[in-house]
PDB file of all heavy atoms in Angstrom:
ATOM      1  N   LYS R1176       8.976 -24.267  43.541  1.00 96.00           N
ATOM      2  CA  LYS R1176       8.875 -25.740  43.508  1.00 96.00           C
ATOM      3  C   LYS R1176       9.306 -26.318  44.847  1.00 96.00           C
ATOM      4  O   LYS R1176      10.250 -27.104  44.942  1.00 96.00           O
ATOM      5  CB  LYS R1176       9.738 -26.299  42.373  1.00 96.00           C
ATOM      6  CG  LYS R1176       9.269 -25.899  40.980  1.00 96.00           C
ATOM      7  CD  LYS R1176      10.218 -26.397  39.910  1.00 96.00           C
ATOM      8  CE  LYS R1176       9.788 -25.941  38.528  1.00 96.00           C
ATOM      9  NZ  LYS R1176      10.752 -26.309  37.480  1.00 96.00           N
ATOM     10  N   LEU R1432       1.774 -38.857  40.630  1.00 91.00           N
ATOM     11  CA  LEU R1432       2.973 -38.328  41.263  1.00 91.00           C
ATOM     12  C   LEU R1432       2.650 -36.982  41.895  1.00 91.00           C
ATOM     13  O   LEU R1432       2.101 -36.100  41.251  1.00 91.00           O
ATOM     14  CB  LEU R1432       4.085 -38.160  40.230  1.00 91.00           C
ATOM     15  CG  LEU R1432       4.692 -39.449  39.661  1.00 91.00           C
ATOM     16  CD1 LEU R1432       5.672 -39.103  38.544  1.00 91.00           C
ATOM     17  CD2 LEU R1432       5.395 -40.238  40.757  1.00 91.00           C
ATOM     18  N   LYS R1433       3.010 -36.831  43.145  1.00 97.00           N
ATOM     19  CA  LYS R1433       2.763 -35.571  43.854  1.00 97.00           C
ATOM     20  C   LYS R1433       4.017 -34.698  43.763  1.00 97.00           C
ATOM     21  O   LYS R1433       4.675 -34.413  44.760  1.00 97.00           O
ATOM     22  CB  LYS R1433       2.360 -35.868  45.300  1.00 97.00           C
ATOM     23  CG  LYS R1433       1.113 -36.739  45.423  1.00 97.00           C
ATOM     24  CD  LYS R1433       0.655 -36.915  46.851  1.00 97.00           C
ATOM     25  CE  LYS R1433       1.612 -37.734  47.681  1.00 97.00           C
ATOM     26  NZ  LYS R1433       1.641 -39.162  47.291  1.00 97.00           N
ATOM     27  N   VAL R1434       4.331 -34.315  42.518  1.00 96.00           N
ATOM     28  CA  VAL R1434       5.512 -33.501  42.250  1.00 96.00           C
ATOM     29  C   VAL R1434       5.141 -32.392  41.273  1.00 96.00           C
ATOM     30  O   VAL R1434       4.130 -32.478  40.575  1.00 96.00           O
ATOM     31  CB  VAL R1434       6.662 -34.346  41.644  1.00 96.00           C
ATOM     32  CG1 VAL R1434       7.116 -35.422  42.601  1.00 96.00           C
ATOM     33  CG2 VAL R1434       6.245 -34.955  40.309  1.00 96.00           C
ATOM     34  N   PHE R1435       5.947 -31.376  41.231  1.00 96.00           N
ATOM     35  CA  PHE R1435       5.762 -30.309  40.260  1.00 96.00           C
ATOM     36  C   PHE R1435       6.132 -30.820  38.866  1.00 96.00           C
ATOM     37  O   PHE R1435       7.127 -31.527  38.699  1.00 96.00           O
ATOM     38  CB  PHE R1435       6.619 -29.098  40.621  1.00 96.00           C
ATOM     39  CG  PHE R1435       6.231 -28.454  41.914  1.00 96.00           C
ATOM     40  CD1 PHE R1435       6.807 -28.850  43.111  1.00 96.00           C
ATOM     41  CD2 PHE R1435       5.269 -27.455  41.959  1.00 96.00           C
ATOM     42  CE1 PHE R1435       6.452 -28.264  44.308  1.00 96.00           C
ATOM     43  CE2 PHE R1435       4.903 -26.859  43.147  1.00 96.00           C
ATOM     44  CZ  PHE R1435       5.491 -27.270  44.330  1.00 96.00           C
ATOM     45  N   ASN R1436       5.310 -30.465  37.878  1.00 94.00           N
ATOM     46  CA  ASN R1436       5.532 -30.866  36.486  1.00 94.00           C
ATOM     47  C   ASN R1436       5.495 -32.377  36.299  1.00 94.00           C
ATOM     48  O   ASN R1436       6.139 -32.915  35.398  1.00 94.00           O
ATOM     49  CB  ASN R1436       6.877 -30.329  35.946  1.00 94.00           C
ATOM     50  CG  ASN R1436       6.902 -28.827  35.874  1.00 94.00           C
ATOM     51  OD1 ASN R1436       5.858 -28.176  35.883  1.00 94.00           O
ATOM     52  ND2 ASN R1436       8.095 -28.256  35.823  1.00 94.00           N
ATOM     53  N   GLY R1437       4.746 -33.072  37.145  1.00 90.00           N
ATOM     54  CA  GLY R1437       4.657 -34.513  37.004  1.00 90.00           C
ATOM     55  C   GLY R1437       3.912 -34.919  35.745  1.00 90.00           C
ATOM     56  O   GLY R1437       3.096 -34.159  35.210  1.00 90.00           O
ATOM     57  N   TYR R1438       4.180 -36.108  35.262  1.00 89.00           N
ATOM     58  CA  TYR R1438       3.504 -36.649  34.081  1.00 89.00           C
ATOM     59  C   TYR R1438       2.012 -36.727  34.381  1.00 89.00           C
ATOM     60  O   TYR R1438       1.585 -37.401  35.313  1.00 89.00           O
ATOM     61  CB  TYR R1438       4.063 -38.040  33.780  1.00 89.00           C
ATOM     62  CG  TYR R1438       3.487 -38.685  32.536  1.00 89.00           C
ATOM     63  CD1 TYR R1438       3.809 -38.216  31.268  1.00 89.00           C
ATOM     64  CD2 TYR R1438       2.628 -39.769  32.632  1.00 89.00           C
ATOM     65  CE1 TYR R1438       3.294 -38.811  30.129  1.00 89.00           C
ATOM     66  CE2 TYR R1438       2.102 -40.371  31.500  1.00 89.00           C
ATOM     67  CZ  TYR R1438       2.446 -39.893  30.245  1.00 89.00           C
ATOM     68  OH  TYR R1438       1.924 -40.477  29.121  1.00 89.00           O
ATOM     69  N   ASN R1439       1.200 -36.032  33.559  1.00 91.00           N
ATOM     70  CA  ASN R1439      -0.213 -35.861  33.902  1.00 91.00           C
ATOM     71  C   ASN R1439      -1.039 -35.729  32.622  1.00 91.00           C
ATOM     72  O   ASN R1439      -1.677 -34.712  32.368  1.00 91.00           O
ATOM     73  CB  ASN R1439      -0.377 -34.615  34.788  1.00 91.00           C
ATOM     74  CG  ASN R1439      -1.730 -34.553  35.474  1.00 91.00           C
ATOM     75  OD1 ASN R1439      -2.493 -35.513  35.468  1.00 91.00           O
ATOM     76  ND2 ASN R1439      -2.026 -33.415  36.069  1.00 91.00           N
ATOM     77  N   ASN R1444      -4.129 -35.961  38.032  1.00 97.00           N
ATOM     78  CA  ASN R1444      -3.261 -36.336  39.155  1.00 97.00           C
ATOM     79  C   ASN R1444      -3.785 -35.834  40.496  1.00 97.00           C
ATOM     80  O   ASN R1444      -3.497 -36.422  41.540  1.00 97.00           O
ATOM     81  CB  ASN R1444      -1.839 -35.810  38.930  1.00 97.00           C
ATOM     82  CG  ASN R1444      -0.999 -36.768  38.101  1.00 97.00           C
ATOM     83  OD1 ASN R1444      -1.424 -37.878  37.800  1.00 97.00           O
ATOM     84  ND2 ASN R1444       0.186 -36.328  37.718  1.00 97.00           N
ATOM     85  N   HIS R1474      11.510 -32.074  45.535  1.00 97.00           N
ATOM     86  CA  HIS R1474      10.294 -31.343  45.163  1.00 97.00           C
ATOM     87  C   HIS R1474       9.050 -32.229  45.144  1.00 97.00           C
ATOM     88  O   HIS R1474       8.197 -32.104  44.270  1.00 97.00           O
ATOM     89  CB  HIS R1474      10.497 -30.630  43.818  1.00 97.00           C
ATOM     90  CG  HIS R1474      11.821 -29.947  43.704  1.00 97.00           C
ATOM     91  ND1 HIS R1474      12.104 -28.779  44.379  1.00 97.00           N
ATOM     92  CD2 HIS R1474      12.966 -30.284  43.058  1.00 97.00           C
ATOM     93  CE1 HIS R1474      13.345 -28.417  44.134  1.00 97.00           C
ATOM     94  NE2 HIS R1474      13.896 -29.312  43.335  1.00 97.00           N
ATOM     95  N   ILE R1524      -1.720 -26.144  44.592  1.00 98.00           N
ATOM     96  CA  ILE R1524      -0.339 -25.717  44.343  1.00 98.00           C
ATOM     97  C   ILE R1524       0.315 -26.593  43.273  1.00 98.00           C
ATOM     98  O   ILE R1524       0.961 -26.087  42.344  1.00 98.00           O
ATOM     99  CB  ILE R1524       0.485 -25.770  45.649  1.00 98.00           C
ATOM    100  CG1 ILE R1524      -0.007 -24.689  46.620  1.00 98.00           C
ATOM    101  CG2 ILE R1524       1.976 -25.600  45.367  1.00 98.00           C
ATOM    102  CD1 ILE R1524       0.574 -24.799  48.006  1.00 98.00           C
ATOM    103  N   LEU R1525       0.140 -27.903  43.378  1.00 97.00           N
ATOM    104  CA  LEU R1525       0.816 -28.818  42.462  1.00 97.00           C
ATOM    105  C   LEU R1525       0.219 -28.819  41.060  1.00 97.00           C
ATOM    106  O   LEU R1525       0.949 -28.922  40.067  1.00 97.00           O
ATOM    107  CB  LEU R1525       0.773 -30.241  43.017  1.00 97.00           C
ATOM    108  CG  LEU R1525       1.683 -30.565  44.204  1.00 97.00           C
ATOM    109  CD1 LEU R1525       1.422 -31.978  44.693  1.00 97.00           C
ATOM    110  CD2 LEU R1525       3.147 -30.410  43.823  1.00 97.00           C
ATOM    111  N   TYR R1526      -1.103 -28.706  40.976  1.00 96.00           N
ATOM    112  CA  TYR R1526      -1.755 -28.995  39.701  1.00 96.00           C
ATOM    113  C   TYR R1526      -2.487 -27.805  39.077  1.00 96.00           C
ATOM    114  O   TYR R1526      -2.875 -27.878  37.918  1.00 96.00           O
ATOM    115  CB  TYR R1526      -2.724 -30.165  39.881  1.00 96.00           C
ATOM    116  CG  TYR R1526      -2.061 -31.370  40.521  1.00 96.00           C
ATOM    117  CD1 TYR R1526      -2.472 -31.833  41.771  1.00 96.00           C
ATOM    118  CD2 TYR R1526      -1.010 -32.020  39.890  1.00 96.00           C
ATOM    119  CE1 TYR R1526      -1.845 -32.926  42.363  1.00 96.00           C
ATOM    120  CE2 TYR R1526      -0.385 -33.103  40.478  1.00 96.00           C
ATOM    121  CZ  TYR R1526      -0.807 -33.561  41.723  1.00 96.00           C
ATOM    122  OH  TYR R1526      -0.183 -34.629  42.302  1.00 96.00           O
ATOM    123  N   GLN R1528      -1.345 -24.309  39.826  1.00 96.00           N
ATOM    124  CA  GLN R1528      -0.429 -23.170  39.759  1.00 96.00           C
ATOM    125  C   GLN R1528       0.685 -23.440  38.742  1.00 96.00           C
ATOM    126  O   GLN R1528       0.908 -24.588  38.330  1.00 96.00           O
ATOM    127  CB  GLN R1528       0.174 -22.885  41.133  1.00 96.00           C
ATOM    128  CG  GLN R1528      -0.862 -22.678  42.232  1.00 96.00           C
ATOM    129  CD  GLN R1528      -1.773 -21.493  41.977  1.00 96.00           C
ATOM    130  OE1 GLN R1528      -1.317 -20.454  41.528  1.00 96.00           O
ATOM    131  NE2 GLN R1528      -3.047 -21.652  42.263  1.00 96.00           N
ATOM    132  N   ILE R1529       1.385 -22.388  38.360  1.00 95.00           N
ATOM    133  CA  ILE R1529       2.490 -22.504  37.410  1.00 95.00           C
ATOM    134  C   ILE R1529       3.805 -22.451  38.185  1.00 95.00           C
ATOM    135  O   ILE R1529       4.142 -21.427  38.790  1.00 95.00           O
ATOM    136  CB  ILE R1529       2.462 -21.373  36.371  1.00 95.00           C
ATOM    137  CG1 ILE R1529       1.130 -21.383  35.619  1.00 95.00           C
ATOM    138  CG2 ILE R1529       3.628 -21.509  35.398  1.00 95.00           C
ATOM    139  CD1 ILE R1529       0.969 -20.226  34.657  1.00 95.00           C
ATOM    140  N   PRO R1530       4.573 -23.545  38.192  1.00 95.00           N
ATOM    141  CA  PRO R1530       5.852 -23.534  38.916  1.00 95.00           C
ATOM    142  C   PRO R1530       6.890 -22.698  38.178  1.00 95.00           C
ATOM    143  O   PRO R1530       6.857 -22.584  36.941  1.00 95.00           O
ATOM    144  CB  PRO R1530       6.242 -25.013  38.967  1.00 95.00           C
ATOM    145  CG  PRO R1530       5.549 -25.633  37.802  1.00 95.00           C
ATOM    146  CD  PRO R1530       4.276 -24.862  37.610  1.00 95.00           C
ATOM    147  N   ASP R1531       7.808 -22.126  38.918  1.00 95.00           N
ATOM    148  CA  ASP R1531       8.842 -21.269  38.349  1.00 95.00           C
ATOM    149  C   ASP R1531       9.750 -22.091  37.432  1.00 95.00           C
ATOM    150  O   ASP R1531      10.494 -22.962  37.898  1.00 95.00           O
ATOM    151  CB  ASP R1531       9.665 -20.650  39.475  1.00 95.00           C
ATOM    152  CG  ASP R1531      10.686 -19.639  38.978  1.00 95.00           C
ATOM    153  OD1 ASP R1531      10.854 -19.528  37.749  1.00 95.00           O
ATOM    154  OD2 ASP R1531      11.314 -18.979  39.818  1.00 95.00           O
ATOM    155  N   PRO R1532       9.724 -21.848  36.117  1.00 94.00           N
ATOM    156  CA  PRO R1532      10.523 -22.664  35.201  1.00 94.00           C
ATOM    157  C   PRO R1532      12.016 -22.374  35.280  1.00 94.00           C
ATOM    158  O   PRO R1532      12.822 -23.135  34.739  1.00 94.00           O
ATOM    159  CB  PRO R1532       9.964 -22.288  33.818  1.00 94.00           C
ATOM    160  CG  PRO R1532       9.470 -20.896  33.988  1.00 94.00           C
ATOM    161  CD  PRO R1532       8.939 -20.814  35.395  1.00 94.00           C
ATOM    162  N   TYR R1533      12.387 -21.276  35.936  1.00 92.00           N
ATOM    163  CA  TYR R1533      13.792 -20.880  35.996  1.00 92.00           C
ATOM    164  C   TYR R1533      14.469 -21.339  37.294  1.00 92.00           C
ATOM    165  O   TYR R1533      15.639 -21.053  37.507  1.00 92.00           O
ATOM    166  CB  TYR R1533      13.910 -19.366  35.848  1.00 92.00           C
ATOM    167  CG  TYR R1533      13.201 -18.847  34.623  1.00 92.00           C
ATOM    168  CD1 TYR R1533      11.999 -18.165  34.723  1.00 92.00           C
ATOM    169  CD2 TYR R1533      13.717 -19.082  33.349  1.00 92.00           C
ATOM    170  CE1 TYR R1533      11.327 -17.709  33.590  1.00 92.00           C
ATOM    171  CE2 TYR R1533      13.053 -18.633  32.213  1.00 92.00           C
ATOM    172  CZ  TYR R1533      11.865 -17.950  32.338  1.00 92.00           C
ATOM    173  OH  TYR R1533      11.208 -17.514  31.227  1.00 92.00           O
ATOM    174  N   GLU R1534      13.744 -22.042  38.123  1.00 93.00           N
ATOM    175  CA  GLU R1534      14.307 -22.476  39.406  1.00 93.00           C
ATOM    176  C   GLU R1534      15.254 -23.651  39.213  1.00 93.00           C
ATOM    177  O   GLU R1534      14.958 -24.588  38.464  1.00 93.00           O
ATOM    178  CB  GLU R1534      13.171 -22.861  40.356  1.00 93.00           C
ATOM    179  CG  GLU R1534      13.630 -23.268  41.742  1.00 93.00           C
ATOM    180  CD  GLU R1534      12.456 -23.585  42.667  1.00 93.00           C
ATOM    181  OE1 GLU R1534      11.331 -23.123  42.382  1.00 93.00           O
ATOM    182  OE2 GLU R1534      12.669 -24.284  43.658  1.00 93.00           O
ATOM    183  N   ILE R1536      16.433 -26.961  40.159  1.00 93.00           N
ATOM    184  CA  ILE R1536      15.791 -28.022  40.949  1.00 93.00           C
ATOM    185  C   ILE R1536      16.779 -29.049  41.473  1.00 93.00           C
ATOM    186  O   ILE R1536      16.380 -29.950  42.217  1.00 93.00           O
ATOM    187  CB  ILE R1536      14.720 -28.755  40.114  1.00 93.00           C
ATOM    188  CG1 ILE R1536      15.342 -29.441  38.898  1.00 93.00           C
ATOM    189  CG2 ILE R1536      13.605 -27.802  39.718  1.00 93.00           C
ATOM    190  CD1 ILE R1536      14.416 -30.418  38.221  1.00 93.00           C
ATOM    191  N   LEU R1589      13.656 -37.322  40.822  1.00 94.00           N
ATOM    192  CA  LEU R1589      13.739 -35.870  40.944  1.00 94.00           C
ATOM    193  C   LEU R1589      12.518 -35.227  40.302  1.00 94.00           C
ATOM    194  O   LEU R1589      12.219 -35.469  39.127  1.00 94.00           O
ATOM    195  CB  LEU R1589      15.028 -35.366  40.275  1.00 94.00           C
ATOM    196  CG  LEU R1589      15.298 -33.868  40.339  1.00 94.00           C
ATOM    197  CD1 LEU R1589      15.472 -33.423  41.779  1.00 94.00           C
ATOM    198  CD2 LEU R1589      16.546 -33.532  39.527  1.00 94.00           C
ATOM    199  N   GLY R1590      11.789 -34.452  41.070  1.00 94.00           N
ATOM    200  CA  GLY R1590      10.606 -33.784  40.572  1.00 94.00           C
ATOM    201  C   GLY R1590      10.900 -32.365  40.105  1.00 94.00           C
ATOM    202  O   GLY R1590      11.952 -31.801  40.411  1.00 94.00           O
ATOM    203  N   GLY R1591       9.956 -31.787  39.343  1.00 94.00           N
ATOM    204  CA  GLY R1591      10.090 -30.398  38.930  1.00 94.00           C
ATOM    205  C   GLY R1591      10.825 -30.163  37.644  1.00 94.00           C
ATOM    206  O   GLY R1591      11.078 -29.016  37.274  1.00 94.00           O
ATOM    207  N   ILE R1592      11.196 -31.233  36.934  1.00 92.00           N
ATOM    208  CA  ILE R1592      11.931 -31.064  35.679  1.00 92.00           C
ATOM    209  C   ILE R1592      11.026 -30.388  34.651  1.00 92.00           C
ATOM    210  O   ILE R1592       9.864 -30.740  34.503  1.00 92.00           O
ATOM    211  CB  ILE R1592      12.421 -32.433  35.153  1.00 92.00           C
ATOM    212  CG1 ILE R1592      13.415 -33.038  36.144  1.00 92.00           C
ATOM    213  CG2 ILE R1592      13.046 -32.302  33.784  1.00 92.00           C
ATOM    214  CD1 ILE R1592      13.850 -34.441  35.779  1.00 92.00           C
ATOM    215  N   GLU R1593      11.597 -29.410  33.938  1.00 91.00           N
ATOM    216  CA  GLU R1593      10.834 -28.699  32.911  1.00 91.00           C
ATOM    217  C   GLU R1593      10.858 -29.471  31.603  1.00 91.00           C
ATOM    218  O   GLU R1593      11.897 -29.998  31.207  1.00 91.00           O
ATOM    219  CB  GLU R1593      11.421 -27.300  32.693  1.00 91.00           C
ATOM    220  CG  GLU R1593      11.221 -26.352  33.852  1.00 91.00           C
ATOM    221  CD  GLU R1593       9.769 -26.005  34.085  1.00 91.00           C
ATOM    222  OE1 GLU R1593       9.028 -25.884  33.086  1.00 91.00           O
ATOM    223  OE2 GLU R1593       9.374 -25.860  35.254  1.00 91.00           O
ATOM    224  N   LYS R1594       9.736 -29.532  30.941  1.00 83.00           N
ATOM    225  CA  LYS R1594       9.633 -30.218  29.654  1.00 83.00           C
ATOM    226  C   LYS R1594      10.102 -29.278  28.537  1.00 83.00           C
ATOM    227  O   LYS R1594       9.898 -28.071  28.610  1.00 83.00           O
ATOM    228  CB  LYS R1594       8.208 -30.685  29.407  1.00 83.00           C
ATOM    229  CG  LYS R1594       7.701 -31.631  30.482  1.00 83.00           C
ATOM    230  CD  LYS R1594       6.224 -31.947  30.284  1.00 83.00           C
ATOM    231  CE  LYS R1594       5.727 -32.924  31.342  1.00 83.00           C
ATOM    232  NZ  LYS R1594       5.797 -32.358  32.696  1.00 83.00           N
TER     233      LYS R1594
END
Side-chain angles (χ1 to χ4, degrees):
K1176 295 176 183 175
L1432 291 174
K1433 301 185 292 290
V1434 298
F1435 295 90
N1436 295 341
Y1438 183 71
N1439 194 11
N1444 274 353
H1474 316 286
I1524 291 170
L1525 287 175
Y1526 308 116
Q1528 305 299 319
I1529 302 175
D1531 185 352
Y1533 307 106
E1534 183 178 339
I1536 62 167
L1589 181 63
I1592 296 174
E1593 291 294 324
K1594 301 173 179 64

